[in-house]
Amino acid sequence: WLLQNPGLGACLADDMGLGKTIQIISLLNRLKTESTGATGAPSLLIAPASLLANWQSEISRFAPRLRAVCLHPSETPAESWRNLERAEHFLQGCDLALTTYGQASRLEWLKERTWGLLILDEAQAIKNPASKQTRMVKAIPARSRIALSGTPIENRLGDLWSLYDFLNPGLLGNASEFSLA
């Protein structure tokens, strides 16, 4: 909450099962309740496909007033959100859109709007700064960003640079400057 107000990124990195999901749901609920921060724009959560159902379940359990929609063909017909015009209609009144890294790499329109929060679950998926997936995710505009990682000690220093470059672009310099420091 403290970091998202001025638009700074935050990293929640701890072992699996220690409450990262509920912290994000609490933040999203507070944003909805107080109608501040995130400028009224919906937030976007990108996660592995295997976690979408868990996010939906946890949201309905702990914050049933949050309106979450899923941008994945396994959950919602793709014609509802494949292009920007249809997606804008689909997202009306939505607090959170959930999608996968694979979909985020394919949906160019995600870069054509500014999201309130951009949240990455299993953020180690963008540890390779040269990958198409990482470049695409980093290009999505958002007022503030959050990265969740359940494997913080398994990351090399360069991997962590990529996460922090997503969270606060330029703060640690570019990759080559960082590796020389």
Side-chain angles (χ1 to χ4, degrees):
W1 172 254
L2 176 70
L3 293 174
Q4 75 79 40
N5 271 326
L8 297 172
C11 181
L12 296 175
D14 60 31
D15 288 329
M16 200 168 114
L18 294 180
K20 295 180 295 292
T21 302
I22 195 67
Q23 288 182 63
I24 295 302
I25 292 171
S26 296
L27 173 59
L28 292 167
N29 200 44
R30 183 169 180 185
L31 289 171
K32 179 181 179 76
T33 302
E34 298 193 8
S35 298
T36 60
T39 63
S43 295
L44 176 65
L45 185 138
I46 303 173
S50 61
L51 297 180
L52 290 181
N54 182 63
W55 274 98
Q56 291 173 316
S57 172
E58 297 294 289
I59 289 167
S60 66
R61 180 177 175 197
F62 293 110
R65 290 184 40 234
L66 280 179
R67 182 167 176 263
V69 297
C70 192
L71 305 173
H72 195 271
S74 69
E75 299 289 328
T76 311
E79 59 271 4
S80 303
W81 46 264
R82 276 282 186 220
N83 64 49
L84 181 60
E85 184 180 326
R86 287 187 175 167
E88 289 296 341
H89 179 71
F90 183 71
L91 294 171
Q92 286 291 337
C94 162
D95 300 306
L96 176 67
L98 299 116
T99 196
T100 64
Y101 286 98
Q103 287 297 318
S105 294
R106 289 186 286 278
L107 296 173
E108 287 289 326
W109 66 262
L110 292 177
K111 299 185 300 188
E112 296 176 27
R113 65 180 338 273
T114 300
W115 299 89
L117 293 176
L118 175 55
I119 305 154
L120 303 184
D121 194 357
E122 300 295 341
Q124 63 273 13
I126 65 159
K127 68 183 180 182
N128 177 357
S131 75
K132 177 186 174 192
Q133 177 171 279
T134 300
R135 290 191 316 271
M136 181 64 178
V137 168
K138 286 182 178 183
I140 299 171
R143 186 176 182 293
S144 187
R145 298 165 175 225
I146 299 174
L148 309 177
S149 178
T151 60
I153 58 173
E154 293 178 21
N155 293 312
R156 296 184 319 241
L157 201 52
D159 301 343
L160 292 173
W161 174 86
S162 186
L163 292 179
Y164 277 88
D165 188 56
F166 161 76
L167 294 170
N168 297 294
L171 181 67
L172 300 177
N174 64 38
S176 60
E177 292 169 339
F178 184 76
S179 67
L180 295 174

